[in-house]
PDB file of all heavy atoms in Angstrom:
ATOM      1  N   ILE C   2    -111.629 114.014-106.668  1.00  0.00           N
ATOM      2  CA  ILE C   2    -112.700 114.804-106.078  1.00  0.00           C
ATOM      3  C   ILE C   2    -113.565 115.434-107.158  1.00  0.00           C
ATOM      4  O   ILE C   2    -113.127 115.651-108.279  1.00  0.00           O
ATOM      5  CB  ILE C   2    -112.109 115.889-105.151  1.00  0.00           C
ATOM      6  CG1 ILE C   2    -111.081 116.719-105.897  1.00  0.00           C
ATOM      7  CG2 ILE C   2    -111.509 115.270-103.933  1.00  0.00           C
ATOM      8  CD1 ILE C   2    -110.482 117.824-105.107  1.00  0.00           C
ATOM      9  N   ASP C   3    -114.807 115.731-106.818  1.00  0.00           N
ATOM     10  CA  ASP C   3    -115.743 116.301-107.776  1.00  0.00           C
ATOM     11  C   ASP C   3    -115.288 117.676-108.233  1.00  0.00           C
ATOM     12  O   ASP C   3    -114.761 117.839-109.311  1.00  0.00           O
ATOM     13  CB  ASP C   3    -117.141 116.392-107.171  1.00  0.00           C
ATOM     14  CG  ASP C   3    -117.718 115.021-106.861  1.00  0.00           C
ATOM     15  OD1 ASP C   3    -117.417 114.078-107.612  1.00  0.00           O
ATOM     16  OD2 ASP C   3    -118.459 114.914-105.886  1.00  0.00           O
ATOM     17  N   ASP C   4    -115.499 118.668-107.413  1.00  0.00           N
ATOM     18  CA  ASP C   4    -115.122 120.039-107.722  1.00  0.00           C
ATOM     19  C   ASP C   4    -114.429 120.607-106.484  1.00  0.00           C
ATOM     20  O   ASP C   4    -115.081 120.881-105.481  1.00  0.00           O
ATOM     21  CB  ASP C   4    -116.351 120.876-108.075  1.00  0.00           C
ATOM     22  CG  ASP C   4    -116.034 122.318-108.390  1.00  0.00           C
ATOM     23  OD1 ASP C   4    -114.868 122.741-108.236  1.00  0.00           O
ATOM     24  OD2 ASP C   4    -116.950 123.054-108.798  1.00  0.00           O
ATOM     25  N   PRO C   5    -113.111 120.763-106.548  1.00  0.00           N
ATOM     26  CA  PRO C   5    -112.388 121.195-105.344  1.00  0.00           C
ATOM     27  C   PRO C   5    -112.843 122.550-104.823  1.00  0.00           C
ATOM     28  O   PRO C   5    -112.821 122.787-103.617  1.00  0.00           O
ATOM     29  CB  PRO C   5    -110.933 121.225-105.798  1.00  0.00           C
ATOM     30  CG  PRO C   5    -110.973 121.286-107.275  1.00  0.00           C
ATOM     31  CD  PRO C   5    -112.225 120.592-107.690  1.00  0.00           C
ATOM     32  N   TYR C   6    -113.283 123.426-105.708  1.00  0.00           N
ATOM     33  CA  TYR C   6    -113.752 124.735-105.266  1.00  0.00           C
ATOM     34  C   TYR C   6    -115.064 124.599-104.495  1.00  0.00           C
ATOM     35  O   TYR C   6    -115.275 125.269-103.482  1.00  0.00           O
ATOM     36  CB  TYR C   6    -113.907 125.686-106.447  1.00  0.00           C
ATOM     37  CG  TYR C   6    -112.573 126.057-107.049  1.00  0.00           C
ATOM     38  CD1 TYR C   6    -112.025 125.326-108.094  1.00  0.00           C
ATOM     39  CD2 TYR C   6    -111.834 127.125-106.552  1.00  0.00           C
ATOM     40  CE1 TYR C   6    -110.789 125.650-108.638  1.00  0.00           C
ATOM     41  CE2 TYR C   6    -110.601 127.453-107.081  1.00  0.00           C
ATOM     42  CZ  TYR C   6    -110.087 126.715-108.123  1.00  0.00           C
ATOM     43  OH  TYR C   6    -108.853 127.041-108.647  1.00  0.00           O
ATOM     44  N   LYS C   7    -115.926 123.722-104.970  1.00  0.00           N
ATOM     45  CA  LYS C   7    -117.204 123.493-104.291  1.00  0.00           C
ATOM     46  C   LYS C   7    -116.978 122.886-102.906  1.00  0.00           C
ATOM     47  O   LYS C   7    -117.654 123.241-101.949  1.00  0.00           O
ATOM     48  CB  LYS C   7    -118.080 122.580-105.149  1.00  0.00           C
ATOM     49  CG  LYS C   7    -119.473 122.413-104.632  1.00  0.00           C
ATOM     50  CD  LYS C   7    -120.312 121.604-105.599  1.00  0.00           C
ATOM     51  CE  LYS C   7    -121.730 121.466-105.086  1.00  0.00           C
ATOM     52  NZ  LYS C   7    -122.560 120.708-106.018  1.00  0.00           N
ATOM     53  N   VAL C   8    -116.015 121.962-102.812  1.00  0.00           N
ATOM     54  CA  VAL C   8    -115.703 121.332-101.522  1.00  0.00           C
ATOM     55  C   VAL C   8    -115.321 122.398-100.495  1.00  0.00           C
ATOM     56  O   VAL C   8    -115.714 122.321 -99.334  1.00  0.00           O
ATOM     57  CB  VAL C   8    -114.571 120.290-101.675  1.00  0.00           C
ATOM     58  CG1 VAL C   8    -114.087 119.792-100.316  1.00  0.00           C
ATOM     59  CG2 VAL C   8    -115.025 119.128-102.533  1.00  0.00           C
ATOM     60  N   LEU C   9    -114.575 123.410-100.943  1.00  0.00           N
ATOM     61  CA  LEU C   9    -114.146 124.476-100.031  1.00  0.00           C
ATOM     62  C   LEU C   9    -115.138 125.630 -99.964  1.00  0.00           C
ATOM     63  O   LEU C   9    -114.901 126.615 -99.268  1.00  0.00           O
ATOM     64  CB  LEU C   9    -112.767 125.002-100.456  1.00  0.00           C
ATOM     65  CG  LEU C   9    -111.616 124.009-100.321  1.00  0.00           C
ATOM     66  CD1 LEU C   9    -110.302 124.657-100.766  1.00  0.00           C
ATOM     67  CD2 LEU C   9    -111.483 123.470 -98.918  1.00  0.00           C
ATOM     68  N   GLY C  10    -116.242 125.528-100.698  1.00  0.00           N
ATOM     69  CA  GLY C  10    -117.261 126.565-100.660  1.00  0.00           C
ATOM     70  C   GLY C  10    -116.845 127.840-101.386  1.00  0.00           C
ATOM     71  O   GLY C  10    -117.197 128.932-100.960  1.00  0.00           O
ATOM     72  N   LEU C  11    -116.095 127.690-102.483  1.00  0.00           N
ATOM     73  CA  LEU C  11    -115.547 128.840-103.209  1.00  0.00           C
ATOM     74  C   LEU C  11    -115.988 128.849-104.663  1.00  0.00           C
ATOM     75  O   LEU C  11    -116.379 127.835-105.220  1.00  0.00           O
ATOM     76  CB  LEU C  11    -114.014 128.782-103.189  1.00  0.00           C
ATOM     77  CG  LEU C  11    -113.332 128.874-101.838  1.00  0.00           C
ATOM     78  CD1 LEU C  11    -111.871 128.512-101.984  1.00  0.00           C
ATOM     79  CD2 LEU C  11    -113.485 130.271-101.278  1.00  0.00           C
ATOM     80  N   ALA C  23    -110.430 129.733 -96.701  1.00  0.00           N
ATOM     81  CA  ALA C  23    -111.508 128.742 -96.744  1.00  0.00           C
ATOM     82  C   ALA C  23    -111.003 127.386 -96.264  1.00  0.00           C
ATOM     83  O   ALA C  23    -111.689 126.690 -95.510  1.00  0.00           O
ATOM     84  CB  ALA C  23    -112.062 128.634 -98.161  1.00  0.00           C
ATOM     85  N   MET C  27    -112.534 125.491 -93.021  1.00  0.00           N
ATOM     86  CA  MET C  27    -113.136 124.169 -93.174  1.00  0.00           C
ATOM     87  C   MET C  27    -112.363 123.108 -92.383  1.00  0.00           C
ATOM     88  O   MET C  27    -112.967 122.217 -91.778  1.00  0.00           O
ATOM     89  CB  MET C  27    -113.181 123.775 -94.651  1.00  0.00           C
ATOM     90  CG  MET C  27    -114.036 124.668 -95.518  1.00  0.00           C
ATOM     91  SD  MET C  27    -115.794 124.432 -95.282  1.00  0.00           S
ATOM     92  CE  MET C  27    -116.026 122.887 -96.128  1.00  0.00           C
ATOM     93  N   TYR C  31    -114.170 120.825 -89.520  1.00  0.00           N
ATOM     94  CA  TYR C  31    -114.392 119.406 -89.745  1.00  0.00           C
ATOM     95  C   TYR C  31    -113.258 118.505 -89.279  1.00  0.00           C
ATOM     96  O   TYR C  31    -113.225 117.329 -89.636  1.00  0.00           O
ATOM     97  CB  TYR C  31    -114.665 119.153 -91.235  1.00  0.00           C
ATOM     98  CG  TYR C  31    -115.986 119.733 -91.676  1.00  0.00           C
ATOM     99  CD1 TYR C  31    -116.034 120.912 -92.396  1.00  0.00           C
ATOM    100  CD2 TYR C  31    -117.183 119.117 -91.347  1.00  0.00           C
ATOM    101  CE1 TYR C  31    -117.241 121.461 -92.794  1.00  0.00           C
ATOM    102  CE2 TYR C  31    -118.392 119.649 -91.732  1.00  0.00           C
ATOM    103  CZ  TYR C  31    -118.420 120.822 -92.461  1.00  0.00           C
ATOM    104  OH  TYR C  31    -119.622 121.357 -92.846  1.00  0.00           O
ATOM    105  N   LYS C  50    -114.614 113.563 -94.535  1.00  0.00           N
ATOM    106  CA  LYS C  50    -114.829 114.967 -94.909  1.00  0.00           C
ATOM    107  C   LYS C  50    -113.508 115.731 -94.852  1.00  0.00           C
ATOM    108  O   LYS C  50    -113.180 116.509 -95.749  1.00  0.00           O
ATOM    109  CB  LYS C  50    -115.869 115.598 -93.974  1.00  0.00           C
ATOM    110  CG  LYS C  50    -116.140 117.057 -94.223  1.00  0.00           C
ATOM    111  CD  LYS C  50    -116.882 117.279 -95.510  1.00  0.00           C
ATOM    112  CE  LYS C  50    -117.287 118.739 -95.626  1.00  0.00           C
ATOM    113  NZ  LYS C  50    -117.954 119.027 -96.888  1.00  0.00           N
ATOM    114  N   PHE C  51    -112.746 115.503 -93.800  1.00  0.00           N
ATOM    115  CA  PHE C  51    -111.460 116.182 -93.644  1.00  0.00           C
ATOM    116  C   PHE C  51    -110.512 115.803 -94.777  1.00  0.00           C
ATOM    117  O   PHE C  51    -109.808 116.656 -95.322  1.00  0.00           O
ATOM    118  CB  PHE C  51    -110.855 115.824 -92.278  1.00  0.00           C
ATOM    119  CG  PHE C  51    -109.661 116.642 -91.910  1.00  0.00           C
ATOM    120  CD1 PHE C  51    -109.785 117.983 -91.606  1.00  0.00           C
ATOM    121  CD2 PHE C  51    -108.399 116.078 -91.854  1.00  0.00           C
ATOM    122  CE1 PHE C  51    -108.679 118.744 -91.260  1.00  0.00           C
ATOM    123  CE2 PHE C  51    -107.295 116.824 -91.508  1.00  0.00           C
ATOM    124  CZ  PHE C  51    -107.439 118.169 -91.210  1.00  0.00           C
ATOM    125  N   ARG C  52    -110.527 114.547 -95.160  1.00  0.00           N
ATOM    126  CA  ARG C  52    -109.688 114.084 -96.262  1.00  0.00           C
ATOM    127  C   ARG C  52    -110.094 114.775 -97.573  1.00  0.00           C
ATOM    128  O   ARG C  52    -109.242 115.180 -98.351  1.00  0.00           O
ATOM    129  CB  ARG C  52    -109.787 112.573 -96.405  1.00  0.00           C
ATOM    130  CG  ARG C  52    -108.818 111.995 -97.416  1.00  0.00           C
ATOM    131  CD  ARG C  52    -108.837 110.479 -97.425  1.00  0.00           C
ATOM    132  NE  ARG C  52    -108.336 109.965 -96.151  1.00  0.00           N
ATOM    133  CZ  ARG C  52    -108.989 109.102 -95.373  1.00  0.00           C
ATOM    134  NH1 ARG C  52    -110.157 108.636 -95.736  1.00  0.00           N
ATOM    135  NH2 ARG C  52    -108.456 108.688 -94.242  1.00  0.00           N
ATOM    136  N   SER C  53    -111.390 114.920 -97.812  1.00  0.00           N
ATOM    137  CA  SER C  53    -111.843 115.579 -99.043  1.00  0.00           C
ATOM    138  C   SER C  53    -111.463 117.053 -99.045  1.00  0.00           C
ATOM    139  O   SER C  53    -111.116 117.603-100.095  1.00  0.00           O
ATOM    140  CB  SER C  53    -113.346 115.398 -99.250  1.00  0.00           C
ATOM    141  OG  SER C  53    -114.096 116.141 -98.334  1.00  0.00           O
ATOM    142  N   ILE C  54    -111.486 117.694 -97.884  1.00  0.00           N
ATOM    143  CA  ILE C  54    -111.063 119.097 -97.776  1.00  0.00           C
ATOM    144  C   ILE C  54    -109.580 119.205 -98.100  1.00  0.00           C
ATOM    145  O   ILE C  54    -109.168 120.085 -98.864  1.00  0.00           O
ATOM    146  CB  ILE C  54    -111.377 119.637 -96.358  1.00  0.00           C
ATOM    147  CG1 ILE C  54    -112.888 119.761 -96.166  1.00  0.00           C
ATOM    148  CG2 ILE C  54    -110.676 120.969 -96.117  1.00  0.00           C
ATOM    149  CD1 ILE C  54    -113.308 119.950 -94.720  1.00  0.00           C
ATOM    150  N   ASN C  55    -108.769 118.317 -97.526  1.00  0.00           N
ATOM    151  CA  ASN C  55    -107.329 118.336 -97.807  1.00  0.00           C
ATOM    152  C   ASN C  55    -107.041 118.059 -99.281  1.00  0.00           C
ATOM    153  O   ASN C  55    -106.188 118.722 -99.888  1.00  0.00           O
ATOM    154  CB  ASN C  55    -106.594 117.320 -96.936  1.00  0.00           C
ATOM    155  CG  ASN C  55    -106.385 117.817 -95.532  1.00  0.00           C
ATOM    156  OD1 ASN C  55    -106.198 119.004 -95.310  1.00  0.00           O
ATOM    157  ND2 ASN C  55    -106.418 116.917 -94.585  1.00  0.00           N
ATOM    158  N   ASP C  56    -107.734 117.083 -99.853  1.00  0.00           N
ATOM    159  CA  ASP C  56    -107.540 116.759-101.267  1.00  0.00           C
ATOM    160  C   ASP C  56    -107.897 117.941-102.159  1.00  0.00           C
ATOM    161  O   ASP C  56    -107.188 118.243-103.118  1.00  0.00           O
ATOM    162  CB  ASP C  56    -108.369 115.541-101.663  1.00  0.00           C
ATOM    163  CG  ASP C  56    -107.866 114.244-101.051  1.00  0.00           C
ATOM    164  OD1 ASP C  56    -106.730 114.227-100.512  1.00  0.00           O
ATOM    165  OD2 ASP C  56    -108.617 113.250-101.111  1.00  0.00           O
ATOM    166  N   ALA C  57    -109.005 118.607-101.850  1.00  0.00           N
ATOM    167  CA  ALA C  57    -109.432 119.765-102.638  1.00  0.00           C
ATOM    168  C   ALA C  57    -108.393 120.871-102.564  1.00  0.00           C
ATOM    169  O   ALA C  57    -108.032 121.476-103.589  1.00  0.00           O
ATOM    170  CB  ALA C  57    -110.786 120.268-102.140  1.00  0.00           C
ATOM    171  N   TYR C  58    -107.903 121.138-101.364  1.00  0.00           N
ATOM    172  CA  TYR C  58    -106.907 122.189-101.188  1.00  0.00           C
ATOM    173  C   TYR C  58    -105.622 121.871-101.932  1.00  0.00           C
ATOM    174  O   TYR C  58    -105.059 122.721-102.633  1.00  0.00           O
ATOM    175  CB  TYR C  58    -106.644 122.390 -99.697  1.00  0.00           C
ATOM    176  CG  TYR C  58    -105.676 123.515 -99.380  1.00  0.00           C
ATOM    177  CD1 TYR C  58    -105.914 124.807 -99.809  1.00  0.00           C
ATOM    178  CD2 TYR C  58    -104.536 123.271 -98.631  1.00  0.00           C
ATOM    179  CE1 TYR C  58    -105.031 125.838 -99.513  1.00  0.00           C
ATOM    180  CE2 TYR C  58    -103.652 124.289 -98.321  1.00  0.00           C
ATOM    181  CZ  TYR C  58    -103.914 125.575 -98.762  1.00  0.00           C
ATOM    182  OH  TYR C  58    -103.034 126.584 -98.467  1.00  0.00           O
ATOM    183  N   ILE C  61    -106.169 122.378-105.715  1.00  0.00           N
ATOM    184  CA  ILE C  61    -106.172 123.792-106.092  1.00  0.00           C
ATOM    185  C   ILE C  61    -104.763 124.370-106.024  1.00  0.00           C
ATOM    186  O   ILE C  61    -104.354 125.110-106.912  1.00  0.00           O
ATOM    187  CB  ILE C  61    -107.155 124.600-105.209  1.00  0.00           C
ATOM    188  CG1 ILE C  61    -108.600 124.158-105.493  1.00  0.00           C
ATOM    189  CG2 ILE C  61    -106.982 126.093-105.437  1.00  0.00           C
ATOM    190  CD1 ILE C  61    -109.622 124.708-104.524  1.00  0.00           C
TER     191      ILE C  61
END
Side-chain angles (χ1 to χ4, degrees):
I2 54 178
D3 296 327
D4 179 354
Y6 292 92
K7 187 175 181 179
V8 171
L9 294 180
L11 297 168
M27 297 286 285
Y31 292 103
K50 178 70 173 177
F51 190 69
R52 187 174 294 126
S53 71
I54 291 166
N55 282 327
D56 290 347
Y58 183 57
I61 294 170

